[in-house]
Amino acid sequence: MTDLTRRSALKGVAALGAAAALPLPARASTSLNAAIYPGTWDEAYRAIIAPQLKAKHGVDVAFDTLWAVDQVTKVRAARGVPPFDCFVLDPGPAAAARQAGLFDPIDASKLPNASKLPAGLIAPDAVTVNLQVVGICYNPKKVPNPPKTWAQLFESPYVERLGLTGFQTTFGTVSLVEMAKAFGGSATNIEPIFKKLKEVLPKVAAVSTPAALPGLFQQGQIDIMYTNTNNAATLKAKGVDIAFIAPESGAITFSTTLHIVKGSENREAAHKYIDTVIAADAQSKLQLSPYNMIPVNKDVKLSDNLDVKSLDEVAKMVTHDWNVINPQRAAWIERFNKEITK
């Protein structure tokens, strides 16, 4: 090797060493990965949010279809290397993820549409993108005089047409907590509802998984169930005879929120993604059939298919403290599966 080639080689090695010492570049801000619920959410966000995000900001989004608990489990298992940039979570998993320190802060100043959301829907680490409302659904042709309270569900002639489901979903959990309250219980004393469930179990029309309930209702195997307005609107769009009623104690509401995963390298794109979701043009489309998502943007006129007249109405509904519910929920699920689902 000549002196010239030796010097060139040494320079090359030095350059490689210097390059290795430099921090790795962040991923391009023109793309991000977002977790999304399977089913309706996945379909809606691919059809509406992804094209709008690309058109408005030139940002591509890849979706990772995961239920909320699986999202939290996946991020915790990644040990600081985010498998995606944004969570979508219901309040129970959101509270667990917050407690585990899995969220990065959200800068509301980077959300031009933040001012369009009612007060309280943006937190330092969360933005509400959808409201869910839970109550009693019934077939008005078969049940012309529907039950008006949670307790009446367990009386004749209603209990014989009732479909039961457990604590696996947010809507199932909050409904059963309210039923426990109706019989003297609370979020920390669920015993009264288990006692009542065992008492009426021989009479109920069906005990089912949450995903199977709408099908049983559509087939006429049950005529009463507790669920959210989203499921009611979806069935109504299929021509099913279904009506929604709020119990006298009040309908239940909870929020679905977007969060930026701790350590995300795509914070700029993540803010653009969140802002696209809460914009009026996206929210106005997400509320329509077949998606039926209650919008959070104040500029959006609510569609008649949602069984909700205004966001002011939602603000007065029953809510729950998931920091209280979460530590007990796994035991409730296990107990329901063992004692009620047979």
Side-chain angles (χ1 to χ4, degrees), residues 29-311:
S29 61
T30 56
S31 66
L32 82 156
N33 295 321
I36 197 70
Y37 294 151
T40 299
W41 280 77
D42 184 35
E43 295 166 9
Y45 274 49
R46 289 181 192 276
I48 295 170
I49 303 304
Q52 290 191 4
L53 181 63
K54 181 67 172 179
K56 290 181 180 180
H57 302 291
V59 174
D60 293 304
V61 57
F63 291 110
D64 191 355
T65 52
L66 294 164
W67 295 115
V69 173
D70 297 326
Q71 293 175 40
V72 176
T73 299
K74 188 170 184 176
V75 172
R76 296 188 76 162
R79 299 182 181 276
V81 182
F84 45 81
D85 300 292
C86 288
F87 286 106
V88 57
L89 299 172
D90 285 349
R98 181 175 290 113
Q99 190 173 34
L102 303 183
F103 298 153
D104 260 352
I106 291 175
D107 184 352
S109 70
K110 294 183 178 180
L111 305 175
N113 288 290
S115 63
K116 302 297 184 181
L117 271 60
L121 296 193
I122 297 183
D125 59 8
V127 175
T128 297
V129 296
N130 173 241
L131 297 171
Q132 297 203 43
V133 173
V134 178
I136 299 168
C137 285
Y138 64 99
N139 184 322
K141 290 187 176 178
K142 296 183 180 180
V143 187
N145 299 305
K148 294 180 173 59
T149 67
W150 292 111
Q152 280 186 299
L153 289 177
F154 301 97
E155 301 172 1
S156 294
Y158 307 120
V159 67
E160 290 85 0
R161 304 309 308 147
L162 175 65
L164 290 176
T165 193
F167 296 88
Q168 305 98 312
T169 62
T170 302
F171 80 77
T173 297
V174 293
S175 296
L176 289 163
V177 167
E178 290 305 299
M179 292 175 204
K181 291 180 184 179
F183 294 106
S186 67
T188 55
N189 176 22
I190 209 77
E191 193 62 38
I193 189 56
F194 273 104
K195 180 180 178 182
K196 180 57 67 172
L197 288 170
K198 290 177 185 176
E199 178 185 316
V200 302
L201 190 57
K203 299 180 182 179
V204 296
V207 180
S208 170
T209 63
L213 268 186
L216 294 176
F217 194 100
Q218 184 174 5
Q219 295 160 16
Q221 296 184 47
I222 61 174
D223 294 314
I224 304 173
M225 63 180 176
Y226 41 96
T227 189
N228 54 32
T229 55
N230 180 278
N231 281 334
T234 300
L235 287 173
K236 190 179 296 184
K238 295 178 180 178
V240 177
D241 292 315
I242 187 169
F244 177 90
I245 187 172
E248 289 180 353
S249 57
I252 303 164
T253 188
F254 61 89
S255 301
T256 304
T257 46
L258 291 185
H259 311 260
I260 300 176
V261 179
K262 183 78 172 178
S264 167
E265 295 179 351
N266 285 325
R267 289 181 50 79
E268 181 181 347
H271 280 86
K272 291 175 179 176
Y273 169 67
I274 294 171
D275 193 62
T276 299
V277 175
I278 62 175
D281 48 354
Q283 292 276 305
S284 62
K285 292 180 174 63
L286 290 171
Q287 73 169 336
L288 300 177
S289 183
Y291 310 123
N292 305 306
M293 297 181 181
I294 297 175
V296 294
N297 189 301
K298 292 183 290 187
D299 288 348
V300 177
K301 185 177 186 293
L302 271 64
S303 172
D304 292 339
N305 62 304
L306 299 175
D307 290 300
V308 176
K309 304 302 180 187
S310 72
L311 294 182

Side-chain angles (χ1 to χ4, degrees), residues 318-335:
V318 178
T319 59
H320 297 84
D321 186 348
W322 284 86
N323 291 310
V324 173
I325 291 174
N326 272 345
Q328 310 169 84
R329 190 180 177 193
W332 293 349
I333 293 172
E334 182 179 2
R335 185 175 176 187

